[in-house]
Amino acid sequence: MPRFHFEIVNGYTIEDPLGIELPTEDQARAIAHQIAEQIRTDVADDTLCAVVVKTDSGKAIYTASIRRGP
């Protein structure tokens, strides 16, 4: 099963060295959206930009925005 890493980005990167095994990229995208929504709810820091999903080889495959809309 492939392993995906969820990194938080805002000019610098908070890396996810362990990642999580998931059966599909679609599930990784859904989790990225859940993480982004939870950060929007829990953290008042508007400088956080995105959750970037990477494969175990380091390839970025998806970006979920954390920023609040206007």
Side-chain angles (χ1 to χ4, degrees):
M1 193 171 320
R3 181 173 296 274
F4 298 93
H5 302 266
F6 299 85
E7 299 184 346
I8 312 300
V9 177
N10 77 339
Y12 62 91
T13 299
I14 301 171
E15 295 181 353
D16 172 13
L18 299 178
I20 186 170
E21 289 183 344
L22 297 167
T24 67
E25 287 185 13
D26 286 339
Q27 286 184 323
R29 288 184 190 99
I31 288 175
H33 280 287
Q34 291 172 357
I35 292 169
E37 181 61 33
Q38 194 66 52
I39 291 170
R40 271 193 297 274
T41 300
D42 294 345
V43 179
D45 184 351
D46 286 334
T47 66
L48 297 173
C49 298
V51 176
V52 177
V53 181
K54 292 187 175 181
T55 63
D56 220 14
S57 66
K59 178 183 175 188
I61 60 166
Y62 189 72
T63 301
S65 178
I66 294 173
R67 292 201 169 158
R68 293 167 179 82

